[in-house]
Amino acid sequence: MAGSTVDGLVSGLSTSSLISQLMQVERVPQTQLKSKVTAQEKIQTSYQAINTKLAALKTAAEDMTKGTSWQPAKVTSSSTSVTPTTTAGATTGSVTFDVLSTAKAQVSTVTFGSATDPALAGGATKVSLTIGTAAAVDIDVTTNTPQGVAEAINAKGLDVRASVLTTDQGTVLQLTSTKTGTAAGFEITGLASDPVDLVPPKDAQVLVGDADGVHYTVTSGSNAITGLLAGTTINVTKEETGVTVAVTQDKDAIADKMKAFVDATNAVLTEIGTQTSYNAAAKTKQPLAGNATVRQIAQTVLGQVGTGQTDYGSFAQLGVELDRYGKLTFDREEFLKAYEADPAKVEKAMSAEDPSIPPRLDADGKTLPQTQVSNVMGLAARLKVIVSNSTESITNAVNGSKSLVTDLNKRIEAWDLRLERRETALRRQFTNLEVSLGKLQQQSTWLAGQISSLPAPSSE
């Protein structure tokens, strides 16, 4: 508040009420500016909602243009103790094998009479640890006890960990390799007694045989065996015979990606419809009603679906069509039928690029995203470009709106100072009015007193 005003003691006017009403009129321009800020913020929120859907569509479109997305593999095993996993583009096929052994980490122990017994050989102050083919590592031992040796070994951070156990047979210093396989085996010297290998290091080994009786073995330092099928890792847990692992193309996974792409496209169209809608009955409209930029995005997307692809024809052949509501439909069975008939052709219909469109380069010669589309391109390749262009347009619109809001807020702040000064002036004026009226009232009272003191006129 710019100050305080006592309601008219002389005039009887409600000065505070009058000033409040006058200030409401004065604030009209600022209120209009605040309404514009609110409207712009709603527009920004609507733009950002559309951009979120566009980002999801871009991800789905990029997924459909990757070669690996068209080569998903499904792997099965005839044994519950053998668990295979695949990577994108894994080679299809099958292999039958016997698990001759599983990989094990070396565990060695040394037993002592008590926890305070000397752990080192007579006169020794260190132990020497050799892991695999690496050079021996000398480890100084400060405290000559089993625990002291364990602490010294662990402090080195090697691939062998030491612990001290209390057992019925005495105190046991246990050394365990952190890795499986013979290459991770170790030797330790300098202890009071020679270690006993509780678990010797061991490699995993499988024996593969074919129908002609040709056999070969594959050895691995871990239980995750690679090399039997390209792109497939076979994890073994126990010895077993006659295990079959088969890798087949996962057509359902491709259909799932295709549906995700269609759903993401529809999500964009739905969001645009929501943010640009107008309710004639209620006479209410959304922030982007009538916005040509976002409506054009929807029309462009629908147009690309409707035109088909030069080398393929209508996308209806692979199960993608437009319905009468301006959305895409996806027939999974139709897609799988088309894909099984000609996988390469369907992939091209979705992901093909147009080699005739020259690449865009930045100042450093790096390739920039394409901004042009053609009917030679696959549907996903086209929408990827359209989404990129649309996102850029919307981002520019949002930035323009933010700049406008910044300018409006500066003008609102300027009005704050102007209104504060105006309110101060009004309070001063009304205060001066009361003072003037008070003086006039005093003068009036004085005059009335003077007049009343005049002698009455004579009747003679």
Side-chain angles (χ1 to χ4, degrees), residues 58-107:
K58 184 179 181 181
T59 298
E62 288 176 339
D63 200 18
M64 294 305 295
T65 58
K66 294 176 182 176
T68 52
S69 294
W70 295 89
Q71 300 171 356
K74 180 167 57 178
V75 62
T76 58
S77 170
S78 64
S79 171
T80 57
S81 66
V82 176
T83 307
T85 57
T86 62
T87 57
T91 301
T92 58
S94 65
V95 61
T96 300
F97 54 88
D98 297 338
V99 181
L100 301 181
S101 63
T102 58
K104 291 181 174 59
Q106 178 179 345
V107 180

Side-chain angles (χ1 to χ4, degrees), residues 1-81:
M1 188 66 68
S4 61
T5 301
V6 178
D7 286 342
L9 298 176
V10 179
S11 66
L13 298 173
S14 178
T15 304
S16 297
S17 177
L18 284 172
I19 292 175
S20 177
Q21 293 176 38
L22 289 170
M23 289 306 299
Q24 286 181 8
V25 175
E26 295 284 349
R27 288 192 182 93
V28 168
Q30 187 189 52
T31 301
Q32 292 174 340
L33 291 175
K34 290 181 178 179
S35 296
K36 290 181 180 180
V37 168
T38 300
Q40 286 299 317
E41 289 174 341
K42 290 180 179 179
I43 287 174
Q44 291 173 28
T45 299
S46 295
Y47 274 138
Q48 289 163 353
I50 294 174
N51 249 357
T52 298
K53 302 299 183 183
L54 286 171
L57 175 53
K58 184 179 181 181
T59 298
E62 288 176 339
D63 200 18
M64 294 305 295
T65 58
K66 294 176 182 176
T68 52
S69 294
W70 295 89
Q71 300 171 356
K74 180 167 57 178
V75 62
T76 58
S77 170
S78 64
S79 171
T80 57
S81 66

